[in-house]
Amino acid sequence: MTQPFPFLLLPHAWASRNRVRRREKGDALRGIVFGTIGVLVSGALFYGAYWVTSQLAAYEEFGDYLLRLGLSWLFLSFLAFLAFSGVVTALSTFFLSDDLRLLMASPVSAQRLFFARFARTVGSASWMVVIFMAPVLIGVGVGRCAPVAFYATMIATIIPFSIIPVALGSACTLFVVNVFPARRARDLLMLMGLVFAAAVVLLLRFIQPERLLRVESLPDITDFFATLQSPITPLLPSFWAGETLFAAVQGGFDWLHQSALWTTAGAFAIVLGVAHGRWHFTGYSRSQEAPKTRFAHFRTLDLIAAWLPLSPVRRQLLVKDVKIFLRDVSQWVQLLPLLALVLLYLYNFRVLDLDRIPYMSGFIKNVYAFINLGMAGFVMATVAVRLVFPAVSAEGSAFWIIRTSPISMHDFLWSKFWTALLPVFLFTEALTIAANQLLGVDPFLKLVAAGSIFFLTVALVGLACGLGARYPRFNADATQAAGSYGGVMFMIAAVALIIVTIILVGWPSSMYLMSRAGQFRFRLTPERQAMIAASFTAAAAICTAIWWFAMKSGVRALEEMRK
């Protein structure tokens, strides 16, 4: 074949084009709703970056220093994410993708195949980073009144910055697969996820940001910023990207660091291409080994299920889902890195000595209660998109057994919901209660947060099940299903729901606490009491409505698929 490597990307482009052309009922409405939510989230990121940059502009040289440091830290944070994402994505695109059987047997040169697969890997691993980074950088440019060249430099910086860590991650995957079979390499990559989470924990604890809240440490504030700058070295691509954009925001151009980005990205791609030509076929051959099948019977689970007040069909569906989850190591091991980050999250609340801030410790504690509620909601959304959303897709080709059996799609989908609801609720509720206890927030806010988590859990688990049933991908693994169109839409909708819930429960809670503190202007008049009750009721009603309509929509989609 004489066509260049982009020719191998055309099937993916054609598939996307055909999906757009194949209009289905409700596509326009879904596009408008989710598009609006995406615009709102991007607008919030843009405004936050714009506001911070505008405030820093008032401090002249110190503000420039903080902006320069912030840009480097922004890219450093995404650098680690891109590297790990590149490891996971390369395993699917280079070794486990279904179309590789056709491509490996076709007259396509190894070089063209590598560049096509690598371009797809870079796109799949970095699209989320680009979506979240673009509004932040645009907000920085608008806040500093940057010239038009800044935005062109932004694009020319993000592209090579994304290639470098993804290339390193792909090289790591190539090495791992040549040592272990690709099917077993998944478990090893989960272990690498634990190492990655542990590195994040050690990095954040090394910085010790809680020192900013200690009055006695204010004379040593320069030591804090020196510590903050210590992980940022001139040898990292994040430093090059930060320096390039800092020069561009001031109207200049940093040829040295821009050249370093592009030459390093090109060199890494070339070296990876040579390694691919040498070792890819060997690794791909090893990836075709059939995995050993081992079954755990979980007799105790059968005994527990026998006592549940369920019909025989629903009981067996519940037992099936739980056993599949426990047997699939790649599913529940995903929770281990998240658990490490949660422990870091709780430890940070433990070391915050807010009582040292006079006159404001109570207020700040109550504010942190709502921050904690938002963080718990985001953790819940992450768990749901990784474990609950792919639940229907995880049936794979065996879904035809469910379709042809005398089992209603209503019982099938609601079994997925009840299986996921209890563990997700217990996990996030325990996280919220523990964090609020460590903070010492007002007992009223503890009750509000606990109740909000209950309704959010019901809504997000129902939304994940419903969207997972409406946008299934039976030929993809759980990671690909979570990153699909439906998974992205779920995350956007989940973030919007969390923000709306915090607003609806935050305003009445603050009114109640201020009135209880004896402030005259915040007396609880009958009108305000009615508004408070209406706000709490609206939050519960929105969560309940989303849960109910999402599940009904999912059941309807499965029933239409059955016809």
Side-chain angles (χ1 to χ4, degrees):
M1 297 180 67
T2 59
Q3 289 88 348
F5 77 88
F7 180 79
L8 298 177
L9 300 176
L10 287 180
H12 306 287
W14 289 338
S16 301
R17 181 197 62 186
N18 294 336
R19 176 63 184 87
V20 174
R21 289 180 176 179
R22 190 176 64 251
R23 298 292 180 89
E24 298 178 359
K25 184 179 180 180
D27 278 353
L29 179 60
R30 283 193 296 268
I32 293 173
V33 172
F34 291 123
T36 302
I37 295 174
V39 170
L40 292 177
V41 173
S42 299
L45 293 174
F46 167 80
Y47 180 76
Y50 169 77
W51 183 83
V52 172
T53 306
S54 302
Q55 297 298 314
L56 292 178
Y59 295 95
E60 297 182 357
E61 294 183 0
F62 185 65
D64 290 342
Y65 169 76
L66 291 181
L67 178 61
R68 190 176 188 177
L69 196 63
L71 288 173
S72 296
W73 264 101
L74 175 66
F75 282 98
L76 180 63
S77 302
F78 285 121
L79 183 71
F81 175 82
L82 283 171
F84 183 70
S85 181
V87 170
V88 177
T89 306
L91 181 64
S92 299
T93 56
F94 279 102
F95 299 99
L96 300 181
S97 182
D98 292 334
D99 58 350
L100 281 173
R101 296 182 180 181
L102 175 63
L103 292 174
M104 295 296 290
S106 62
V108 178
S109 67
Q111 184 180 13
R112 290 192 177 95
L113 178 62
F114 162 73
F115 282 113
R117 293 280 115 175
F118 183 62
R120 185 179 173 187
T121 302
V122 172
S124 300
S126 62
W127 67 266
M128 187 176 296
V129 171
V130 174
I131 287 177
F132 283 96
M133 185 181 290
V136 174
L137 295 179
I138 294 174
V140 171
V142 175
R144 292 298 295 266
C145 299
V148 179
F150 167 79
Y151 304 99
T153 306
M154 179 184 72
I155 299 174
T157 301
I158 292 178
I159 294 175
F161 173 77
S162 301
I163 293 175
I164 295 172
V166 174
L168 286 175
S170 301
C172 181
T173 300
L174 182 63
F175 169 77
V176 170
V177 172
N178 275 274
V179 177
F180 304 94
R183 311 289 176 179
R184 299 178 185 175
R186 291 182 177 180
D187 298 338
L188 182 60
L189 293 179
M190 295 301 171
L191 178 61
M192 294 176 60
L194 289 176
V195 175
F196 172 73
V200 173
V201 171
L202 294 176
L203 177 62
L204 293 179
R205 294 317 315 147
F206 175 72
I207 296 173
Q208 296 180 347
E210 68 274 5
R211 287 187 295 168
L212 283 176
L213 297 177
R214 296 177 184 172
V215 178
E216 68 273 11
S217 67
L218 290 180
D220 299 327
I221 194 69
T222 55
D223 294 336
F224 171 79
F225 284 108
T227 304
L228 192 64
Q229 194 174 9
S230 57
I232 302 175
T233 65
L235 300 179
L236 290 178
S238 56
F239 177 81
W240 306 338
E243 291 295 301
T244 301
L245 289 183
F246 181 74
V249 82
Q250 292 183 321
F253 190 83
D254 192 338
W255 289 100
L256 175 63
H257 293 104
Q258 183 75 73
S259 301
L261 281 171
W262 280 101
T263 53
T264 304
F268 278 24
I270 293 174
V271 172
L272 182 62
V274 174
H276 175 273
R278 173 64 179 82
W279 289 293
H280 175 261
F281 183 77
T282 303
Y284 176 75
S285 300
R286 293 174 61 85
S287 69
Q288 304 308 304
E289 291 184 8
K292 295 182 179 179
T293 303
R294 298 177 181 176
F295 291 106
H297 294 286
F298 298 109
R299 303 292 186 187
T300 306
L301 181 61
D302 294 326
L303 296 176
I304 295 175
W307 290 92
L308 296 178
L310 299 173
S311 65
V313 173
R314 295 179 180 179
R315 183 184 300 116
Q316 293 305 318
L317 284 174
L318 179 64
V319 171
K320 176 189 74 71
D321 291 334
V322 175
K323 285 186 176 181
I324 290 177
F325 175 77
L326 294 176
R327 288 169 178 168
D328 191 355
V329 179
S330 63
Q331 287 290 317
W332 55 266
V333 171
Q334 298 181 52
L335 296 176
L336 297 180
L338 181 63
L339 181 61
L341 296 178
V342 167
L343 294 177
L344 168 67
Y345 171 73
L346 293 176
Y347 179 74
N348 284 336
F349 277 122
R350 177 67 180 84
V351 299
L352 284 177
D353 195 0
L354 299 178
D355 292 330
R356 294 179 178 271
I357 303 177
Y359 308 112
M360 294 188 64
S361 61
F363 171 76
I364 294 179
K365 287 179 180 179
N366 295 334
V367 170
Y368 267 111
F370 294 108
I371 296 177
N372 176 43
L373 177 60
M375 294 300 297
F378 293 142
V379 170
M380 186 195 312
T382 303
V383 173
V385 77
R386 297 293 295 182
L387 301 180
V388 184
F389 179 83
V392 175
S393 301
E395 298 290 337
S397 57
F399 183 69
W400 70 270
I401 301 177
I402 302 295
R403 294 178 60 185
T404 57
S405 62
I407 298 176
S408 67
M409 292 295 101
H410 178 275
D411 291 343
F412 171 74
L413 189 60
W414 279 94
S415 172
K416 303 290 185 183
F417 173 79
W418 294 116
T419 302
L421 179 64
L422 184 61
V424 173
F425 171 70
L426 293 178
F427 177 71
T428 51
E429 192 71 78
L431 170 63
T432 305
I433 294 175
N436 286 336
Q437 187 65 31
L438 292 174
L439 282 172
V441 301
D442 190 270
F444 173 75
L445 289 183
K446 292 181 181 179
L447 294 176
V448 171
S452 301
I453 286 296
F454 170 76
F455 283 100
L456 278 175
T457 304
V458 173
L460 291 181
V461 172
L463 184 63
C465 288
L467 288 179
R470 181 159 287 278
Y471 301 104
R473 296 188 64 183
F474 296 110
N475 296 325
D477 56 22
T479 303
Q480 293 174 333
S484 64
Y485 170 80
V488 175
M489 293 301 101
F490 167 76
M491 286 301 299
I492 295 175
V495 171
L497 177 61
I498 293 168
I499 294 174
V500 170
T501 303
I502 292 176
I503 293 174
L504 289 177
V505 302
W507 174 80
S509 300
S510 61
M511 292 288 292
Y512 173 78
L513 292 177
M514 290 178 182
S515 65
R516 200 177 63 178
Q519 298 188 26
F520 177 78
R521 56 179 297 190
F522 292 104
R523 288 187 307 173
L524 285 183
T525 61
E527 293 80 7
R528 284 181 175 173
Q529 292 179 7
M531 293 175 63
I532 289 175
S535 185
F536 281 127
T537 305
I542 290 175
C543 292
T544 304
I546 289 177
W547 159 65
W548 182 253
F549 286 109
M551 291 300 295
K552 288 189 64 177
S553 174
V555 172
R556 190 183 307 113
L558 292 177
E559 289 176 347
E560 292 176 355
M561 190 185 306
R562 195 172 186 175
K563 295 178 181 179

